[in-house]
Amino acid sequence: MATPVLLSSSSVFPEPTAAAFELAASLGYDGVEVMVWTDAVSQDAGALRGLAEHYGVPVLSVHAPCLLVTQRVWSNDPAQRLRRAVELAETLDAPTVVVHPPFTWQRDYARSFGQILAKLAEDHPRVRVAVENMYPVRMAGREFVPYAPGWNPTDTGYDAYTLDLSHCAASHTDSLDMADLMGAKLAHVHLGDGTGEGRDEHLVPGRGNQPCAELLASLAGRGFTGAIAVEVSTRGAKSRAAREADLGAALTFAREHLATAPTLNR
């Protein structure tokens, strides 16, 4: 079976979640990754199922609300937010939930993070929770890591990982090396790019200096069975047509270097 290429709803921001389904359908993506955020539609299983049915594109992954702007979505408790994301994915038959490592100030959550993941795996065996590689933050010539115990989840070790290529650029890490560290536990890929200039850029793949093409081409040999979610920033697009052009270019890049045909027939 060919590797599915998904459109992350974060890639259409500032347009709403519903626009991701419309664009995924019109451009020929295999599905959608829903970024759960302050848009009520992104939190609602019924609304998401309706969009998936209307546009003919399934939700195949869910990104838990981990950003600073989503700290009050569903609950103030990050463990509850993660559980709700897993329950949403299970309801939608999405096999993967993406989560960031805990922030350093989430002390209780950080201490129990491994136990929380183990309990979720026990309670929801059809959903993989894949911990994402992050990056240190550089400001005014200084560097700090806002994640506990660190930005690289392979240093701790988890059952499943999400490889984010833009985050690799921001952390000055080669994504092929990170994939090697993740090994057989690589479950999901966030496809973007970056220049390594000290911030998380989420460029269209091929427009930065990460080995995006090589990473995609290597996945079959790694025994990868997950999905590729295009997670690029189009907030600077001056029109819907410009946004569509960037998202179409990212899809073409992914399919070309995966050397596969579209996975799902609609």
Side-chain angles (χ1 to χ4, degrees):
M1 180 178 292
T3 301
V5 182
L6 318 181
L7 177 62
S8 168
S9 61
S10 66
S11 296
V12 307
F13 183 83
E15 293 194 62
T17 302
F21 288 85
E22 177 189 354
L23 286 167
S26 65
L27 292 170
Y29 279 83
D30 297 313
V32 168
E33 174 172 303
V34 172
M35 168 71 81
V36 179
W37 65 300
T38 55
D39 180 356
V41 170
S42 72
Q43 307 168 29
D44 188 317
L48 293 169
R49 186 184 293 110
L51 286 167
E53 292 174 354
H54 177 75
Y55 288 106
V57 283
V59 177
L60 294 179
S61 59
V62 170
H63 196 310
C66 306
L67 305 176
L68 290 174
V69 296
T70 60
Q71 295 301 292
R72 295 183 182 275
V73 169
W74 283 334
S75 170
N76 291 330
D77 180 355
Q80 285 299 319
R81 291 198 296 273
L82 177 53
R83 178 168 288 276
R84 289 282 298 271
V86 171
E87 291 170 349
L88 177 64
E90 187 173 61
T91 300
L92 296 169
D93 293 322
T96 304
V97 167
V98 177
V99 67
H100 296 176
F103 286 119
T104 53
W105 58 84
Q106 296 171 324
R107 293 183 178 87
D108 291 342
Y109 179 52
R111 275 194 297 268
S112 57
F113 188 56
Q115 295 173 323
I116 291 167
L117 294 178
K119 179 62 173 169
L120 289 171
E122 178 184 340
D123 294 345
H124 306 277
R126 293 188 295 114
V127 179
R128 291 180 299 181
V129 180
V131 185
E132 187 171 9
N133 61 295
M134 300 305 291
Y135 51 92
V137 175
R138 301 177 182 90
M139 296 177 62
R142 303 184 66 181
E143 179 178 299
F144 69 96
V145 177
Y147 304 101
W151 61 265
N152 182 351
T154 68
D155 288 342
T156 301
Y158 298 105
D159 289 340
Y161 299 111
T162 295
L163 171 60
D164 188 301
L165 279 72
S166 177
H167 294 176
C168 284
S171 65
H172 298 168
T173 305
D174 186 293
S175 55
L176 289 168
D177 293 338
M178 182 61 72
D180 289 342
L181 290 173
M182 292 178 173
K185 295 179 179 180
L186 173 58
H188 193 65
V189 173
H190 276 169
L191 181 59
D193 208 341
T195 63
E197 293 299 321
R199 60 190 179 90
D200 186 20
E201 297 168 286
H202 287 284
L203 302 178
V204 171
R207 298 181 186 177
N209 57 24
Q210 280 294 306
C212 300
E214 294 84 350
L215 184 281
L216 292 171
S218 78
L219 291 177
R222 296 175 187 275
F224 180 74
T225 59
I228 309 297
V230 168
E231 192 180 70
V232 298
S233 175
T234 64
R235 69 184 65 190
K238 295 181 179 179
S239 66
R240 165 60 83 87
R243 175 167 292 118
E244 287 187 28
D246 278 349
L247 298 179
L251 175 61
T252 298
F253 185 99
R255 290 249 174 86
E256 176 184 348
H257 295 291
L258 285 167
T260 63
T263 304
L264 304 178
N265 295 319
R266 291 190 293 277

